[in-house]
């Protein structure tokens, strides 16, 4: 069972949370027509960027990447300027988004897939199959995790990046869904809560 250790929100003007990413200091939360910046210490929204932000969000150390329906935009986090754009795999239905190993990792919700994508060209390098609707995607410590949300049930899954085999599951409480997913690089997962307008912090199980 997932251990929820903290909850943020709801936030002013935010009715739904899609993507979530973390830049080492602040959380970025996609809420449809803007990216909201949240201080994870206080849980308060401190800024926003007016950009289309439908689903997954990622940060590569310098730039934000944001799913906006059929496109994935590369965004300047200071100005909000769109610097480049690539197609969303499958044309639409993109859900989670993560940055790892020089690639974007894109969840495709109803297709139950995660694609490794070239961030320059949008070319799909490889595809991992899941047996559940895929929401958020994140990497931490060499582990690939994704959120699921299907038939009112939601969990976090660690999967084998080569085969898609489920290696570990953290089941969310009844009625609590996961839309976006991000790791802080250590022992916390930030989980978007869909139309609850909230972000929940789930503890990552300790490693030996």
């Amino acid at each position: 069972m997932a251990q929820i250790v903290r909850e943020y929100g709801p936030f002013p003007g935010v009715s739904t949370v899609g993507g979530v990413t973390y830049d080492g200091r602040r959380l970025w939360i996609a809420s449809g027509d803007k990216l909201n910046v949240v201080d994870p210490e206080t849980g308060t929204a401190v800024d926003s960027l007016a950009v289309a932000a439908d689903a997954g969000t990622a940060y590569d150390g310098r730039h934000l990447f944001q799913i906006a329906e059929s496109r994935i935009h590369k965004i300047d986090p200071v100005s909000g300027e769109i610097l480049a754009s690539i197609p969303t795999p499958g044309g639409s239905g993109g859900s989670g988004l993560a940055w790892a190993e020089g690639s974007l990792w894109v969840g495709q919700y109803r297709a139950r897939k995660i694609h490794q994508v070239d961030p320059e060209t949008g070319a799909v390098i490889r595809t991992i199959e899941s047996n559940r609707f895929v929401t958020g995607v994140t990497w931490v410590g060499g582990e690939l995790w994704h959120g699921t949300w299907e038939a009112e049930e939601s969990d976090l899954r660690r999967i084998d990046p080569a085969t898609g085999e489920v290696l570990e599951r953290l089941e969310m409480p009844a009625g609590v869904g996961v839309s976006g997913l991000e790791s802080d690089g250590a022992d916390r997962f930030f989980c978007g809560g869909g139309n609850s307008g909230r972000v929940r912090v789930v503890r990552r199980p300790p490693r030996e």
Side-chain angles (χ1 to χ4, degrees):
M1 179 67 76
Q3 182 186 1
I4 298 173
V5 296
R6 190 166 179 186
E7 195 169 280
Y8 303 120
F11 307 100
V14 175
S15 60
T16 186
V17 175
V20 182
T21 197
Y22 179 63
D23 66 9
R25 291 189 306 120
R26 303 171 300 174
L27 284 172
W28 296 79
I29 297 169
S31 63
D33 60 352
K34 62 182 177 177
L35 270 169
N36 306 271
V37 186
V38 173
D39 180 336
E41 299 307 315
T42 64
T44 55
V46 294
D47 202 356
S48 65
L49 292 178
V51 295
D54 300 309
T57 313
Y59 180 70
D60 71 354
R62 289 183 58 204
H63 303 104
L64 294 163
F65 291 85
Q66 177 60 55
I67 295 176
E69 293 190 345
S70 64
R71 306 294 295 178
I72 299 172
H73 296 315
K74 181 179 181 179
I75 298 168
D76 183 316
V78 177
S79 68
E81 179 186 357
I82 295 172
L83 304 174
S85 180
I86 58 173
T88 302
S92 63
S95 52
L97 193 62
W99 175 270
E101 302 173 349
S103 296
L104 288 169
W105 300 77
V106 187
Q108 202 175 359
Y109 179 61
R110 290 189 179 275
R112 299 183 170 96
K113 292 175 180 176
I114 299 169
H115 304 285
Q116 182 184 2
V117 172
D118 184 315
E120 298 294 326
T121 65
V124 174
I125 299 166
R126 64 180 166 131
T127 297
I128 303 163
E129 303 274 350
S130 175
N131 62 359
R132 297 272 291 171
F133 288 165
V134 174
T135 55
V137 180
T138 194
W139 281 85
V140 54
E143 298 175 356
L144 175 59
W145 289 77
H146 76 85
T148 76
W149 194 348
E150 189 170 352
E152 301 304 310
E153 295 180 354
S154 201
D155 62 16
L156 306 181
R157 296 182 169 203
R158 176 166 68 93
I159 63 171
D160 185 314
T163 65
E165 178 191 356
V166 178
L167 305 175
E168 188 173 3
R169 283 182 66 232
L170 304 177
E171 195 174 331
M172 298 296 279
V176 176
V178 176
S179 49
L181 179 64
E182 173 67 303
S183 163
D184 71 347
D187 62 353
R188 293 181 298 175
F189 289 118
F190 300 111
C191 304
N195 56 14
S196 72
R198 299 176 187 271
V199 175
R200 298 175 177 96
V201 183
V202 169
R203 186 171 303 287
R204 178 179 170 228
R207 298 294 177 243
E208 295 300 329

